[in-house]
Amino acid sequence: MASLDELPLRPELRGRTPYGAPQLPAKYRLNTNENPHPLPAELLADLGAALGHAAVELNRYPDRDAVALRTDLAGYLSRTSGGALRPEQVWAANGSNEVLQQILQAFGGAGRTALGFTPSYSMHPIISAGTGTAWVDGQRRADFTIDAAAAAAQMREVRPDVVFVTSPNNPTGTAVALDTIQSIYDSTDGVVVVDEAYAEFARAGTPSALILLPGRPRLIVSRTMSKAFGMAGLRLGYLAADPAVVDALQLVRLPYHLSSLTQAAGRTALAHTDELLATVDAVKAQRDRIVGALPALGLTSVPSDANFVLFGHFADAHAAWQALLDRGVLVRDVGLRGWLRVTAGTAEETDAFLTALGEVAATHRSTEGESGA
């Protein structure tokens, strides 16, 4: 078998490793931020009927522009954001990662730069590399928040073509204030992508960047059906933006990129929005339960508006990760010194996590008060 060194791989890809959370055997898998609740029986029945209907014409190409799906997505966003969105402002693809890839294909590329405020979603620099876009790390405070003035200064210095602002942020869970997003937008001529994969889990009073869209043609808000909707296996992501942005993405999208089955399943899920999102409050309750239990174990967390918690501090985070795994609980080592991330699961999963963490914390927590980020 040949090695990568023997292939004419692009130089900027050499030495890189592919994205992937460990898929390890564990009774409690709390490392990939999935919604732990099963899909309702009524939805499953409707999915079967919808997919069966769509399968009749699988010999034909799907609707290339997914107009009906985009209309339904615009309706959902309009109902939940407080503003009216039209179908021509919405675009959908195979997971939010393909949405982000298309953005970089259209607005990034050779000789162009993307900037994201790390630590953040690790796929942003990976997709940037895959599209030949240079990457620059943005600056965060020690508490993982973004300083608006410092960010604006960095925009003027770097002059990025694409800016990623993840809110709520992954892996920290922190939401970004709208005035900070406005400041970043006003300080750059590039497109600003607000990655809102976890928006539905935000605490009360945390607004979406969707309300900033009017009058800002370079602003893009991306979403997914993998998290709050519990449809991670569907692979359906989408964005809202000015119609001109959607026109630009159609220049780079592959023809017929969304299958008939994906479109049918997505529309069926959206028809069951209320039932699917009914689990969100239960997930948020487990998140808040985890946060509330940490101080008694000598640990702390970062305030979270997502369905996960970044918690620490540990003298050796990876050793603590392994100790939890040894007890049947798989969490995520995100590579931040002293920190681990856990998905808010069911009540049973939270019980198991807190029990295991109680056994692990005594020997693995930091004795210095703070391990750093």
Side-chain angles (χ1 to χ4, degrees):
M1 293 179 60
S3 69
L4 283 179
D5 292 338
E6 299 174 72
L7 299 176
L9 188 66
R10 285 165 38 198
E12 65 269 25
L13 297 181
R14 293 194 179 278
R16 291 181 175 268
T17 56
Y19 172 88
Q23 293 182 307
L24 301 173
K27 184 174 182 180
Y28 303 102
R29 294 184 299 172
L30 301 174
N31 67 325
T32 51
N33 301 338
E34 297 157 323
N35 187 324
H37 297 279
L39 299 177
E42 297 83 357
L43 169 60
L44 293 176
D46 288 350
L47 271 176
L51 295 177
H53 179 75
V56 173
E57 293 192 348
L58 281 180
N59 59 312
R60 303 293 185 184
Y61 284 115
D63 176 7
R64 183 175 53 222
D65 297 329
V67 174
L69 173 62
R70 290 163 58 200
T71 299
D72 290 351
L73 287 167
Y76 165 67
L77 292 177
S78 296
R79 291 192 303 273
T80 57
S81 70
L85 285 165
R86 306 186 306 278
E88 56 265 34
Q89 292 179 265
V90 177
W91 185 244
N94 292 285
S96 61
N97 288 324
E98 187 179 42
V99 170
L100 301 177
Q101 182 182 59
Q102 291 173 348
I103 292 170
L104 285 162
Q105 287 175 316
F107 300 106
R112 294 195 168 196
T113 300
L115 182 149
F117 298 91
T118 52
S120 191
Y121 184 37
S122 58
M123 279 303 299
H124 293 159
I126 290 174
I127 299 174
S128 295
T131 57
T133 309
W135 177 264
V136 174
D137 285 325
Q139 303 164 356
R140 286 185 181 269
R141 298 185 180 102
D143 64 356
F144 303 116
T145 59
I146 298 174
D147 181 286
Q154 195 172 20
M155 294 301 103
R156 292 188 290 268
E157 176 186 356
V158 176
R159 300 178 63 84
D161 300 281
V162 181
V163 181
F164 290 103
V165 182
T166 311
S167 181
N169 187 45
N170 178 15
T172 65
T174 46
V176 181
L178 293 188
D179 58 357
T180 299
I181 295 172
Q182 292 181 70
S183 177
I184 291 170
Y185 182 92
D186 292 340
S187 303
T188 179
D189 294 326
V191 297
V192 176
V193 184
V194 183
D195 188 336
E196 288 192 344
Y198 300 94
E200 287 90 350
F201 295 104
R203 290 170 292 179
T206 304
S208 166
L210 288 167
I211 65 176
L212 297 178
L213 286 176
R216 295 181 175 86
R218 294 178 288 105
L219 182 64
I220 301 171
V221 179
S222 68
R223 292 282 189 96
T224 182
M225 295 192 72
S226 294
K227 306 303 181 184
F229 276 86
M231 302 287 285
L234 177 61
R235 309 310 303 131
L236 180 59
Y238 57 101
L239 63 76
D242 189 274
V245 170
V246 176
D247 291 342
L249 298 187
Q250 294 191 54
L251 299 175
V252 299
R253 63 103 166 93
L254 295 174
Y256 313 109
H257 68 293
L258 273 180
S259 76
S260 300
L261 299 179
T262 299
Q263 294 183 44
R267 296 194 68 201
T268 304
L270 288 164
H272 288 264
T273 293
D274 291 343
E275 302 99 297
L276 289 171
L277 296 189
T279 64
V280 168
D281 284 343
V283 172
K284 290 165 65 174
Q286 296 306 313
R287 174 198 67 196
D288 296 342
R289 179 184 166 202
I290 292 169
V291 170
L294 292 173
L297 301 177
L299 299 171
T300 188
S301 63
V302 177
S304 177
D305 281 286
N307 67 334
F308 56 82
V309 177
L310 188 72
F311 65 102
H313 302 276
F314 297 100
D316 183 335
H318 189 74
W321 173 87
Q322 183 63 59
L324 288 169
L325 181 59
D326 292 342
R327 290 162 173 80
V329 179
L330 177 61
V331 300
R332 187 73 177 268
D333 181 354
V334 294
L336 292 176
R337 186 166 61 91
W339 297 94
L340 295 172
R341 191 193 72 193
V342 61
T343 304
T346 63
E348 177 191 352
E349 289 170 331
T350 301
D351 287 344
F353 166 69
L354 291 176
T355 297
L357 186 61
E359 298 171 1
V360 168
T363 54
H364 290 276
R365 65 172 176 253
S366 173
T367 59
E368 299 177 7
E370 183 171 333
S371 296

